[in-house]
Amino acid sequence: ASLNLSLNNLFILQESIFNGLSAVTTLDLNFARIRKIEMGAFKGFETLKDLDLSKNSVSEIFPKTFIGLPKLSTLKLGVHMSYLHSNAFQGLEAVRSLTVSNCHLIELPEAVFKGMTGLENLIFEQSDLVTIKPKAFDGLVNLQHLRFDDTKITNMELGAFSSLSNIRSTGTILDPNYGLIQYNFSRMSIQRIDSGAFAGLGKPGNVIYLDLDGNKIFKIVTDNFVGLEGMRTLHLTENVIEELQPNSFRTLKNLIHLSLGFNKIQDLQPEVFNGLVSLRYLNLRQNKIKSLSGNRFRLLRNLATLIVSNNSLAEIPVDAFGNLPINTLDVDANSIRAVHQNTFNDLPKLINLNISHNDLIDIGWLKALGLAHSIRNLDLSYNHLKEIDNKNLGLFLRRIDINGNNIPCENLPKILMNLKASSIAYRKYPLSGLGSFDNVSCVPMQFSLPKNEASVKEDFSGLEALLNETDEIVEAIVGDIADSSTDPNEVAEKHFGPLEKRVDELRMKANKINIRYRSRHAYDVDVYQALLIILCVVFCLSQFMGVYKKCVGNQTNIRFRREQSEIELFAGTNPTS
């Protein structure tokens, strides 16, 4: 049977008020304006299984309040409750689910849940827990899920979670299929976590995911995570952490992923990463770190990804990394002006390097690595580079980004051409990400027309000879085509390499002259006509090569089909062949 007394004005539940209602299994006292519950108020409910006391105004729960409910399975409490006394839930051995909602609890005292040996799910909803005292959860030997939905916790004292050896998850469950023991304490306004606060939480060896993102933690102290030796992932982003004490993580020998981004860390103390022998991913993005000197990462022997972007670095010293197996390094959005020439020599596995959005003026440090270095993806965008020397780029480079630098526009075509040429010359795959003259930004020079005839001749020097050489190649191609005995593929193989080179040179000169003589108002008429001629030559030659290659392909197909027809005809007239 069910009894619904919600939306009433009961105010006080006196002792034995429900005598004679032994058949009731569900009692709803939701929003009944209850202010006080006297000890023994629920005597007589021998068969009651579900009790809802949410949305009331009970400020305190005293010891033995729920005596007389031997079969109660589900209990809900809520609204304006500020204190739970020790032994408040004595006599509720059968309760499997307890929900505490809309409360502001000054503390969870020691043994507050003593006697609730059958509790499996403990849920706090839209509540504040100022302090979790040591041994607050003692006695909850079967608790599996401890949830904090929209709940704030300020302080976790030493031993706060002791005795929770069977716990499977805390907080809002992130993903039931994640395959880890999940402890989610994110966005709960936690300010302080004492050393050993997590001791006793879970069984030794559990594979653990701990999320402390979005709190107000200002310091990580020595042995903060004792008891979580099986932890694989630790998130501490979006806190206000200013200090990481030495040996803060020394018990986390199985930790693989550590995120410390979006904090206020200024200095990495010696031995701060002691014990993290399995760490592969370290994120220090958006802090206030000023220096990487002192080889602070030397203990991270398995580190593969290091992110130190959006900090206050002015240089990368020679002792920044040591001989580590890092393959991805991100130091973008700092104020890096200098990189020691031997900084990356001890990173033999470095593949991805992002040093964009800094203040670099040269990349001579790449030359020190030699052409055999392993970098495949290099982001140099948004620095102050004026020149990119392809001789400094490694043999294995696949992608480079040079956008947003101080490269003069008049030099950009030559730089792009050299990069592409070097890519074809000694790399198995061409570079990508270079863009073209049109979509790679550059710094315009002062635009002005030449002052005299001599400067005009100087700017156009070599053009006539280049056009003559191009004309000779074209005439040779026409002559070979006219010779019916010449294989069209041989013509293309013989002449198209030199011709493409001349076309690229003509295009580069045209771009240079275009920038040199560009004016806000108009072109010089002679220069404009010369540019039109050059660009028309380049366009026509490009079209010619494309059409010729297409024709060669068609000719080859026609010849193949003709030879195939002849074979079929011969086979038809000579069946024995």
Side-chain angles (χ1 to χ4, degrees), residues 1-2 85 112 122 140 149 180 273 323 334 339 348 350 357 379 395 413 462 468 492 497 510 532 552:
S2 299
H85 290 267
V112 64
L122 176 56
L140 301 180
D149 294 345
L180 302 177
F273 298 118
N323 189 18
N334 281 278
V339 178
L350 186 61
H357 295 85
D379 192 343
L395 293 171
N468 288 336
L532 280 179
V552 169

Side-chain angles (χ1 to χ4, degrees), residues 13-16 34 36-43 51 53 58 60-69 75 77 81 83-92:
L13 297 184
Q14 299 176 347
E15 183 180 359
S16 302
I34 300 170
K36 182 179 180 182
I37 303 174
E38 294 184 352
M39 186 173 62
F42 297 103
K43 285 182 179 180
L51 174 59
L53 283 163
V58 180
E60 295 183 66
I61 301 294
F62 293 94
K64 301 181 180 181
T65 294
F66 299 102
I67 290 293
L69 298 171
L75 174 61
L77 298 173
M81 188 168 60
Y83 202 85
L84 291 172
H85 290 267
S86 295
N87 300 311
F89 301 100
Q90 187 175 344
L92 298 180

Side-chain angles (χ1 to χ4, degrees), residues 251-437:
T251 59
L252 305 181
K253 300 185 184 302
N254 295 301
L255 192 69
I256 294 174
H257 183 118
L258 175 58
S259 291
L260 288 160
F262 297 90
N263 281 286
K264 297 181 179 181
I265 302 168
Q266 296 186 31
D267 182 42
L268 298 176
Q269 299 186 35
E271 315 301 324
V272 67
F273 298 118
N274 186 27
L276 297 176
V277 294
S278 300
L279 195 70
R280 294 182 55 80
Y281 178 95
L282 176 59
N283 187 349
L284 292 163
R285 183 190 303 275
Q286 195 77 42
N287 277 280
K288 297 181 178 181
I289 300 171
K290 297 179 180 179
S291 174
L292 296 180
S293 62
N295 201 2
R296 296 293 191 256
F297 308 106
R298 67 185 183 281
L299 300 173
L300 307 178
R301 309 313 305 172
N302 288 293
L303 189 64
T305 299
L306 176 60
I307 301 173
V308 201
S309 58
N310 293 88
N311 277 274
S312 302
L313 302 175
E315 65 172 353
I316 304 182
V318 67
D319 61 346
F321 308 114
N323 189 18
L324 295 175
I326 295 174
N327 59 50
T328 298
L329 177 61
D330 191 343
V331 289
D332 79 295
N334 281 278
S335 301
I336 299 171
R337 295 184 296 273
V339 178
H340 193 280
Q341 64 176 359
N342 295 322
T343 293
F344 302 113
N345 285 7
D346 292 331
L347 298 178
K349 296 184 178 180
L350 186 61
I351 294 175
N352 307 302
L353 175 58
N354 183 358
I355 197 168
S356 63
H357 295 85
N358 279 286
D359 298 325
L360 293 175
I361 57 174
D362 68 75
I363 55 171
W365 43 272
L366 274 175
K367 188 175 182 180
L369 289 174
L371 291 176
H373 68 75
S374 58
I375 297 177
R376 286 176 169 78
N377 301 300
L378 177 60
D379 192 343
L380 295 167
S381 60
Y382 297 96
N383 279 280
H384 303 305
L385 302 174
K386 295 182 178 180
E387 182 65 49
I388 306 292
D389 188 350
N390 63 290
K391 295 178 182 178
N392 292 339
L393 305 178
L395 293 171
F396 299 99
L397 192 65
R398 294 290 178 268
R399 189 181 189 284
I400 184 172
D401 190 342
I402 60 173
N403 224 333
N405 278 283
N406 291 344
I407 299 172
C409 290
E410 60 178 358
N411 295 341
L412 185 58
K414 180 181 178 182
I415 290 173
L416 293 178
M417 182 173 292
N418 287 341
L419 287 172
K420 291 176 180 178
S422 65
S423 170
I424 295 169
Y426 59 82
R427 293 187 179 89
K428 184 176 180 181
Y429 303 103
L431 288 172
S432 62
L434 289 173
S436 67
F437 177 76

Side-chain angles (χ1 to χ4, degrees), residues 8 18 80 85 101 198 210 220 274 279 345 359 364 372 395 430 574:
N8 277 287
F18 297 110
H80 302 308
H85 290 267
S101 59
F198 296 105
L210 176 59
I220 302 297
N274 186 27
L279 195 70
N345 285 7
D359 298 325
L395 293 171
N574 299 275

